Amino acid sequence: MLQATPLTDGWILRHEGAELPAAVPGCVHTDLLAADVIPDPFLGLNEREVAWVGRRDWTYETDLDARSAHEQTDLVFEGLDTVAEILLDGQLLGRVRNMHRSYRFDVTGLSGRLSVRFASAYAEAEAVRGKLGERPAAYAEPYQYLRKMACSFGWDWGPTLVTAGIWRPVRLEHWSTARIARVRPLVTVEQGAGVVELAVDVERTRVEAPLTVEASAGGVRARAEIDGTGGVVRLRVPDVRLWWPRGYGEQPLYDVELRLLHGEDALDVWRRRIGFRSVELDRGADADGTGFTLVVNGERLFARGVNWIPDDVFPSRVTRERYRRRLEQAADAGVDLVRVWGGGIYESGDFYDACDELGLLVWQDFPFACAAYPEEQPLRGEVEAEARENVVRLMPHPSLVLWNGNNENLWGFRDWGWEQRLAGDSWGEGYYLGVLPRVVAELDPTRPYTAGSPWSGSWHRHPNDPAHGTHHSWEVWNREDYAEYRGEVPRFVAEFGWQAPPAYATLRRALPGEELAPDSPGMLHHQKADDGNGKLRRGLERHFAGAVEGDFDRWHYLTQVNQARAVAAGIEHWRSHWPVCAGTVVWQLNDCWPVTSWAAIDGDGREKPLYHELRRLYADRLLTLGVRELAIVNQGTEEWAGVVRLRRMSVEGALLGEASVDLSAGRRAVARVGVPKEMAPVGPKEFLVADADGVRAVHFPVPDREVPYPRPEFDVALVPGGVSVTARTLVRDLLLQADRLDPDARADRGLVTLLPGEEVTIGVSGWKTPDAAAARSALYCMEPSR
């Protein structure tokens, strides 16, 4: 039987005569941090102090003894970041240049000093650029010239920390006769039965040895002969339970085992978990354009999505537990789809395992983002090799439902001046419309592929045409008020978002000793977006003009309110237009360091108000209220029938009118009812409230700066497990910033609007010394204009 020996101990890191202990898996930055050679680049302005690390060459070394009683021993690297040569006692084993691939070297019978010499990623990228010519990109760093995590070079939410190292596990594999080189599982459903077709490739030391594979799943077993170096074994599992996205059913998973046999002797074994489900992408034309609707097990879905970036700029630090925690946060917010964005990585199996278990659909980008990528060698061969490996690696996961060729590159070619600058040079089209769809069609025909996001499906239309395929809505954040989200109904909104700073405790940790202000040195350094603070300021001025001058705490609160309201404006509108619009994917769920960004969960894992707002926006039941119309959104499995209570209120708390409206929305459907004319708010002092079965919508017809809010009055009391707030006036967008009470404290809800006499209990965990006065000091809400 194949034996694997992890190589985790005894590594050192060498650089210019210095020698440090090294952690494997890991990277140069984390080793330098552990040895106190560099300061924490996440704190203050330290990112600048460590920029030199990415410009240097580094060597990892350890002693290797590959002697074994087996016929062959392989040295296996699951991931090397990025450009390296591997030597044993000075003899070259091989050279590598792709972070997204694994590597295997025959070291049978050898022993000695193993060295992995990493060249600077900058040097490699600049060399390729010099050979192939300049290509345009959204950022000045040369990330498109090598197969490495693009956001390692910085992004409009991330630091420039260009890594190197053995970032995934490394091991020795000892084996005899033959081993399993690859298993490609095709999982389908036929007339209630689950079908698993396992295409097996083997590597041999003995050509003549007769080999058999035996597979099992769901109590069914089957055998097949290996003809040369490959074979296929097929299982048909009767009466399987279907795997469903969360909210649509359960997520049963089946263990699949495949053993490679020589006679009855087991030589190697491959084990995975699979789920039985069907997935389609409906891109049919209709009266509204060209659709983009995911269909799982025949059920058409409105995708409630978030974009995922690497959860740490040093991905080797992201543990299985951290993946699980972050994805549970997504699921708890009502999310059912996670898009793995193309400027990052193919995540580890731990990520996809958690998505399988939680019922989170995965949209997987191939790692191309916001740049023109050369298609010549050496890149072209690397792209196909990495795609082939990762398609097969991720195929067993039922959560994976879509392959996407790139992020914004087709759009960039058409709209960002690339076509003229390239003057006929290659830029990646051959990958997105040639190599990648061919690889997916050959290896994983059970899943749909789309060439890019955004992509209208044809060069005959603008790539970002909202009426066709996927759409990225960035004009609103960049130039307009978030009310403009309501001006169109895209078929699928794959990116949109609004910025806000991280939680207060996160800022205090990241900027120790700094007097916080929107434009203080650390705040500006931890704001990577082009004119990010200007866009935040203009967004506030449209709603709260003059309200935050010189008051950081108020600015911090209002920017977070604006983020939640902006995303709400989009999702409420687009969900109310299902099935024309078939999904929203918020930019973004998470952060890779402490930064002002579009994330719902900040770089320290703390939930912003946006996170809690997503729980409302992505709930099965949602009310969307305007002056003339109420939309009843029901994504549940049962009809939603009942009565909506409408109230026309004054900001002083008076009830000015009341009406009851029957509601009836079928399963997975949207219904609309008119708001009686007499209920329409008149002037800035009035607003409208709709309540049905515990679901509330509130509509103010004018911006906050025009609303004559009363001075908020409310009572605060400690209750078991939290804080109770009772309103004596209108209290709009009340927020308990629990991390101001204790850095470890978390509140179980975000923004809440209370009418006079209403009470809310906010659960608080992790608060070591509860105190009512402290709780009051951490409560924020809308106040009269200053």
Side-chain angles (χ1 to χ4, degrees), residues 268-325:
D268 199 358
V269 64
W270 177 93
R271 296 185 181 93
R272 297 292 188 276
R273 289 186 308 170
I274 62 169
F276 292 99
R277 53 100 187 102
S278 65
V279 59
E280 304 166 70
L281 181 61
D282 184 352
R283 288 180 272 204
D286 56 28
D288 297 294
T290 308
F292 195 91
T293 304
L294 283 166
V295 185
V296 178
N297 298 330
E299 184 84 54
R300 300 173 69 80
L301 312 181
F302 181 97
R304 293 170 275 192
V306 287
N307 282 275
W308 171 275
I309 66 170
D311 204 51
D312 196 315
V313 74
F314 307 129
S316 59
R317 295 200 298 200
V318 184
T319 62
R320 183 178 185 86
E321 293 73 26
R322 181 164 159 184
Y323 275 126
R324 179 77 189 201
R325 182 168 65 252

Side-chain angles (χ1 to χ4, degrees), residues 434-676:
V435 173
L436 297 176
R438 171 172 55 80
V439 168
V440 172
E442 175 192 338
L443 299 178
D444 189 14
T446 67
R447 289 181 177 86
Y449 170 88
T450 184
S453 184
W455 179 234
S456 62
S458 169
W459 282 120
H460 297 297
R461 298 183 288 264
H462 190 282
N464 200 29
D465 187 333
H468 301 277
T470 49
H471 177 67
H472 289 194
S473 180
W474 283 117
E475 284 298 298
V476 171
W477 157 251
N478 285 318
R479 296 175 181 86
E480 301 170 349
D481 182 44
Y482 56 72
E484 299 303 315
Y485 284 134
R486 303 186 182 102
E488 61 185 13
V489 182
R491 304 311 302 268
F492 193 105
V493 188
E495 279 190 23
F496 77 108
W498 200 271
Q499 270 200 350
Y504 183 79
T506 300
L507 289 173
R508 283 270 57 110
R509 187 191 71 81
L511 305 175
E514 180 164 310
E515 183 176 345
L516 296 177
D519 59 353
S520 60
M523 287 294 296
L524 289 177
H525 185 75
H526 289 248
Q527 163 62 279
K528 296 295 186 177
D530 181 36
D531 191 30
N533 271 19
K535 293 169 185 176
L536 286 175
R537 175 179 51 78
R538 290 188 288 276
L540 291 178
E541 287 173 349
R542 295 183 182 109
H543 296 271
F544 316 104
V548 295
E549 293 295 330
D551 187 339
F552 177 81
D553 289 345
R554 199 74 189 153
W555 175 87
H556 182 262
Y557 162 72
L558 290 176
T559 52
Q560 295 205 333
V561 169
N562 238 23
Q563 181 186 38
R565 288 198 194 168
V567 172
I571 293 178
E572 287 185 346
H573 174 66
W574 296 321
R575 277 194 73 183
S576 74
H577 283 84
W578 161 259
V580 176
C581 180
T584 56
V585 189
V586 177
W587 187 270
Q588 64 215 65
L589 175 69
N590 57 326
D591 266 326
C592 64
W593 78 314
V595 64
T596 296
S597 83
W598 298 263
I601 302 168
D602 75 19
D604 282 5
R606 294 186 175 92
E607 300 94 350
K608 297 183 188 178
L610 171 60
Y611 171 83
H612 298 283
E613 186 69 354
L614 286 177
R615 297 174 71 178
R616 180 183 74 86
L617 296 167
Y618 278 165
D620 281 348
R621 294 178 172 184
L622 176 69
L623 296 177
T624 299
L625 182 59
V627 173
R628 297 182 180 86
E629 186 178 71
L630 173 69
I632 300 117
V633 180
N634 177 27
Q635 210 161 342
T637 58
E638 305 292 336
E639 179 187 7
W640 186 11
V643 175
V644 180
R645 182 190 182 195
L646 288 172
R647 284 178 284 174
R648 182 173 146 225
M649 305 286 297
S650 77
V651 293
E652 290 90 358
L655 178 63
L656 304 176
E658 187 170 7
S660 294
V661 178
D662 291 336
L663 74 81
S664 179
R667 67 181 297 276
R668 320 290 191 204
V670 176
R672 288 181 167 79
V673 295
V675 173

Side-chain angles (χ1 to χ4, degrees), residues 647 649-655 685 687 689 696 698 700 707-716 725-734 752-760 776 780-784:
R647 284 178 284 174
M649 305 286 297
S650 77
V651 293
E652 290 90 358
L655 178 63
K685 290 188 176 182
F687 64 100
V689 182
R696 169 171 285 184
V698 180
F700 285 78
V707 179
Y709 289 116
R711 185 158 301 281
E713 297 179 8
F714 50 85
D715 299 320
V716 179
V725 180
T726 304
R728 288 187 270 119
T729 63
L730 170 68
V731 179
R732 188 179 185 195
D733 284 334
L734 179 73
V752 59
T753 293
L754 300 176
L755 306 180
E758 291 185 334
E759 178 185 359
V760 65
R776 177 175 282 278
Y780 291 75
C781 64
M782 289 296 121
E783 296 179 351

